[in-house]
């Protein structure tokens, strides 16, 4: 089947597939590929793009494939074996396509078995992983409604912002690690 024309494929480590079955909240089956220890869910084309930030938060653990040339889909009755096969959750309702809400259960399973999801960098739209950020002390403004004066950002974003501030006047930003 050609991917990208009618389907997107979500790929994750096999531990996520096992955790999804144990979690039991998503009634959609996935394809198990034992050769590379991955599992795959099928999404209608573009479904993941309707909720980009939740997918970006787990992008270290789960990948959405939208441009694979080909992807082998086993017969729906193939549920075991050394090659690709389907894993059906308890309470399966008959469909084989997940929707963009699959990301919620994937995030729970990734947190339980692989690590923290990313946070939002306060200065750019890219995911910020726990070990990659720095804290920046921001000046208080009567217009800002922040819970504290520090935010976490990418180190490069902090340097870029500090460079911009130098061109616009004295900076009151302080970077801490």
């Amino acid at each position: 089947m050609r991917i990208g024309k009618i389907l997107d494929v979500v790929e994750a480590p096999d531990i996520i597939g096992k955790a999804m079955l144990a979690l039991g909240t998503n009634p959609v089956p996935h394809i198990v590929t034992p050769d590379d220890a991955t599992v795959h869910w099928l999404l209608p084309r573009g479904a993941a793009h309707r909720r980009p930030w939740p997918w970006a938060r787990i992008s270290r653990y789960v990948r959405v494939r939208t441009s694979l040339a080909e992807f082998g889909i086993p017969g729906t009755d193939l549920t075991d074996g050394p090659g690709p096969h389907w894993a059906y959750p308890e309470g399966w309702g008959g469909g084989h396509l997940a929707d963009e809400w699959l990301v919620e259960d994937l995030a729970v399973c990734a947190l339980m078995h692989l690590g923290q999801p990313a946070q939002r960098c306060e200065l750019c739209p890219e995911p910020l992983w726990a070990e990659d950020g720095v804290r920046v002390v921001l000046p208080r403004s009567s217009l800002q409604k922040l819970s504290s004066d520090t935010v976490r950002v990418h180190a490069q974003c902090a340097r870029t912002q500090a460079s911009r501030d130098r061109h616009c006047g004295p900076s009151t930003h302080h970077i801490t690690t």
Side-chain angles (χ1 to χ4, degrees), residues 53-113:
W53 176 245
W55 289 102
R57 289 191 71 206
I58 60 172
S59 62
R60 177 177 278 180
Y61 315 115
V62 174
R63 297 189 319 193
V64 178
R65 305 279 192 173
T66 59
S67 61
L68 292 172
E70 293 183 12
F71 180 76
I73 297 177
T76 56
D77 60 341
L78 191 56
T79 59
D80 200 7
H85 56 273
W86 288 93
Y88 290 95
E90 197 170 311
W92 175 60
H96 287 83
L97 294 182
D99 61 25
E100 69 265 21
W101 296 99
L102 171 71
V103 71
E104 304 299 332
D105 287 339
L106 289 172
V108 168
C109 292
L111 174 63
M112 289 171 39
H113 297 282

Side-chain angles (χ1 to χ4, degrees), residues 20-29 87-93:
M20 289 284 284
L21 290 173
L23 188 62
T25 59
N26 196 308
V28 178
Y88 290 95
E90 197 170 311
W92 175 60

Side-chain angles (χ1 to χ4, degrees), residues 1-175:
M1 176 171 282
R2 297 187 72 62
I3 301 302
K5 300 242 185 243
I6 59 171
L7 292 175
D8 291 342
V9 175
V10 175
E11 180 181 276
D14 61 356
I15 192 169
I16 297 296
K18 292 172 186 166
M20 289 284 284
L21 290 173
L23 188 62
T25 59
N26 196 308
V28 178
H30 59 268
I31 299 168
V32 177
T33 53
D35 292 345
D36 60 2
T38 59
V39 294
H40 301 87
W41 286 267
L42 304 177
L43 289 170
R45 176 80 176 125
H49 293 294
R50 289 192 283 274
R51 302 190 62 227
W53 176 245
W55 289 102
R57 289 191 71 206
I58 60 172
S59 62
R60 177 177 278 180
Y61 315 115
V62 174
R63 297 189 319 193
V64 178
R65 305 279 192 173
T66 59
S67 61
L68 292 172
E70 293 183 12
F71 180 76
I73 297 177
T76 56
D77 60 341
L78 191 56
T79 59
D80 200 7
H85 56 273
W86 288 93
Y88 290 95
E90 197 170 311
W92 175 60
H96 287 83
L97 294 182
D99 61 25
E100 69 265 21
W101 296 99
L102 171 71
V103 71
E104 304 299 332
D105 287 339
L106 289 172
V108 168
C109 292
L111 174 63
M112 289 171 39
H113 297 282
L114 300 174
Q116 290 279 353
Q119 298 299 313
R120 230 184 251 276
C121 175
E122 297 288 334
L123 297 175
C124 82
E126 296 301 314
L128 175 64
W129 301 97
E131 69 278 5
D132 295 337
V134 295
R135 291 206 177 279
V136 178
V137 178
L138 297 175
R140 279 291 190 172
S141 159
S142 60
L143 300 177
Q144 288 178 310
K145 302 291 185 212
L146 300 173
S147 58
S148 82
D149 350 359
T150 63
V151 294
R152 286 185 34 81
V153 298
H154 295 105
Q156 182 58 42
C157 291
R159 285 190 288 276
T160 301
Q161 185 65 36
S163 175
R164 280 190 205 131
D165 289 346
R166 273 186 235 121
H167 295 294
C168 299
S171 174
T172 55
H173 297 271
H174 305 284
I175 300 173

